[in-house]
Amino acid sequence: RLSMHGPQEPPHLPTLPLIGSLMSLRSLQPPHVLFKGLQGKYGQTYSLKMGSQSVIVVNQHRHAREVLLKKGKTFAGRPRTVTTDVLTRDGKDIAFGDYSATWRFHRKIVHGALCMFGEGSASIEKIICAEAQSLCSVLYEAAAAGIALDLSPELTRAVTNVICSLCFNSSYHRGDPEFEAMLDYSQGIVDTVAKDSLVDIFPWLQMFPNADLCLLKQCVSIRDKLLQKKYDEHKADYSDHVQRDLLDALLRAKRSAENNNTAEVSTQSVGLSEDHLLMTVGDIFGAGVETTTTVLKWAVTFLIHHPQVQRRIQEELDSKVGSGRSPQLSDRGSLPYLEATIREVLRIRPVAPLLIPHVALSDTSIGDFTVRKGTRVIINLWSLHHDEKEWKNPELFDPGRFLNNDGTSLIIPSSSYLPFGAGVRVCLGEALAKMELFLFLSWILQHFTLSVPSGHSLPSLEGKFGVVLQPAKFKVNAPPR
Ligand code: HEM
Ligand code: PLO
């Protein structure tokens, strides 16, 4: 839309009332819902000031695409916050680290290491299928014993073992104390980190309770011990000739930088210090566990609410795969309804409803609005995915919206759909996550039908907002079909 007035400031929320409304609404409405609601009064793109920090909130896909794609590099910065600094040793990771040569280099190493698993004997597909098999046998045992199961720890272990293979060439058995410790610290981190993306901008309000920061520090220190242990083990039996996993790939890059330049200083300057390696692998491990597990839990939640969707996926599985063999990645093309269901889960409950905040690296603009260097930009994916102009009944769970009229092929019905973000900061794990979601769900639904145990009510569809949007805990019945 062309403006008759040229560049202008975006509509601005009154500062003091905002603090007031944030304070009073905080417990009632999560920020992505609050920000969606404020559009009514201020328009789809508006700004607000928190302390001295300018923040722009984008609720519409054209502006979102401009920020992420067209001007992706300009908006590729990340803010520094108290909690992410604790988690990442002052931004020495990929996700919360600012735009830099180091950041680019680490993305490249990770990308290469993930591609390495595409083919070869330890291919990602084989690793995922082995975990799916083990997950199904736990479900069979529970069904035989007649117990309703909280699927969360089982799904988490399956997903963790996939990323563990890729990062550390290791895996966990049920009840492994290191795994139990990981579950604990990771939940502690999810509950406390980046909750402050808004809040720690005005620390003087002390909206961020000290107890949370304390818990975060405790959890991070436990995580760091685990990462350090893996690092020391890998360093001890590292060889230039075999690359077992991501950590080996990172160590190799560090070795080669050290050989080319004898001074330790140079590995510092390209960002291959021990801290950087640990934080990168910590990011991938953390993202690898928490995101995919969360989506699987949402998928199970919605499948329980919509047994007809579950039945249709099972019919599709029965006719395209049958019961004589297990689903494999090459079946993806022939199971469009399952794929559509996965897309719909990612739409209706985006893992990261506000992405991670972006920062303008120079003076620029969004649409007709001027944006000054240093401004934080929050892309409200929740608004994009629930935009009434783009989606019919956005609150309704309907996989069919991702299929063409005769239900035979997949479509993306609106450009207001970005579950993995886009552009220079696009998710690094998109391909991996999609493989996992497809294989785990197809294996589960080939063998079991999910429902609430009798006497229990349906699980809540309301998410708990944090660095990822998590569903509440619930139990399921999973009798074999
Ligand atoms: C970033 C979504 C799984 C690694 C992101 C972002 C989103 C996202 C929305 C933020 C983009 C932005 O700030 O603009 C998802 C979803 C997943 C998923 C929906 C699962 C279904 C994974 C997995 C990994 C991963 C499995 C690890 C292999 C990352 C990393 C970043 C990221 C490293 C930071 C990228 C950067 O800042 O440069 N993801 N993700 N993600 N994701 Fe994922
Ligand atoms: C999850 C808890 C882990 O213990 C640490 C961790 C590392 C990377 C984070 C991840 C957490 C949450 C999801 C994040 C990911 C990086 C990219 C991903 C934020 C905090 C998303 C969805 O953007």
Side-chain angles (χ1 to χ4, degrees), residues 202-215:
F202 25 27
W204 60 90
L205 288 175
Q206 298 216 309
M207 286 162 85
F208 191 66
N210 247 331
D212 275 15
L213 194 58
C214 210
L215 174 65

Side-chain angles (χ1 to χ4, degrees), residues 87 95-96 185-186 189-190 193 282-283 286-287 290-291 351-352 356 467-468:
L87 179 68
F96 303 105
Y185 83 64
S186 201
I189 293 175
V190 169
V193 82
D283 250 21
E290 293 298 339
T291 54
V351 172
I356 300 174
V467 68
V468 291

Side-chain angles (χ1 to χ4, degrees), residues 1 32-33 75 114 137 151 180 188 231 290 383-384 409 420:
R1 190 163 43 93
H32 54 279
V33 178
F75 287 103
L114 290 179
S137 62
L151 282 188
E180 305 287 333
Y231 183 82
E290 293 298 339
S383 293
L384 267 66
S409 68
F420 295 91

Side-chain angles (χ1 to χ4, degrees), residues 78 85-86 117 139 182 190 213 241 309 372 387 453 455 475:
R78 293 287 197 211
D85 275 358
V86 169
F117 282 97
L139 293 185
M182 195 279 292
V190 169
L213 194 58
H241 309 294
V309 171
R372 254 171 283 284
D387 187 336
K475 287 199 166 157

Side-chain angles (χ1 to χ4, degrees), residues 100-120:
S100 68
T102 300
W103 168 83
R104 225 175 299 118
F105 191 48
H106 279 253
R107 266 191 79 108
K108 214 167 166 180
I109 298 174
V110 171
H111 187 78
L114 290 179
C115 287
M116 181 190 97
F117 282 97
E119 59 278 352

Side-chain angles (χ1 to χ4, degrees), residues 280-465:
T280 287
V281 78
D283 250 21
I284 302 307
F285 187 55
V289 172
E290 293 298 339
T291 54
T292 313
T293 308
T294 298
V295 183
L296 286 172
K297 288 194 270 184
W298 278 123
V300 171
T301 307
F302 280 98
L303 289 174
I304 289 177
H305 275 259
H306 300 271
Q308 78 285 5
V309 171
Q310 206 175 155
R311 258 193 312 275
R312 189 161 160 197
I313 297 173
Q314 288 173 331
E315 282 162 17
E316 191 180 67
L317 278 163
D318 292 346
S319 78
K320 304 287 171 45
V321 178
S323 55
R325 66 170 181 89
S326 294
Q328 54 200 40
L329 284 182
S330 58
D331 294 316
R332 259 172 93 174
S334 42
L335 299 168
Y337 193 73
L338 174 56
E339 285 286 334
T341 306
I342 294 171
R343 288 186 186 184
E344 177 68 346
V345 172
L346 289 168
R347 180 192 69 82
I348 201 162
R349 289 296 178 274
V351 172
L354 301 177
L355 309 187
I356 300 174
H358 288 243
V359 169
L361 296 170
S362 55
D363 286 350
T364 178
S365 62
I366 302 173
D368 292 332
F369 301 135
T370 50
V371 174
R372 254 171 283 284
K373 179 180 172 178
T375 304
R376 291 183 194 188
V377 179
I378 293 175
I379 305 291
N380 192 352
L381 198 58
W382 183 265
S383 293
L384 267 66
H385 286 188
H386 289 84
D387 187 336
E388 294 82 2
K389 289 187 220 75
E390 299 288 328
W391 307 95
K392 202 158 84 194
N393 295 327
E395 303 307 325
L396 185 75
F397 181 75
D398 173 19
R401 59 172 102 238
F402 286 98
L403 292 172
N404 65 351
N405 284 337
D406 60 7
T408 51
S409 68
L410 284 158
I411 54 165
I412 307 266
S414 161
S415 359
S416 198
Y417 183 68
L418 293 170
F420 295 91
V424 269
R425 285 282 183 173
V426 70
C427 176
L428 259 174
E430 177 169 354
L432 172 63
K434 284 177 169 166
M435 289 188 239
E436 292 190 71
L437 295 173
F438 172 79
L439 287 170
F440 284 132
L441 288 172
S442 60
W443 278 62
I444 294 172
L445 293 172
Q446 184 188 40
H447 294 279
F448 307 95
T449 300
L450 309 169
S451 62
V452 270
S454 55
H456 290 226
S457 48
L458 285 169
S460 167
L461 294 179
E462 198 156 323
K464 188 173 101 191
F465 177 80

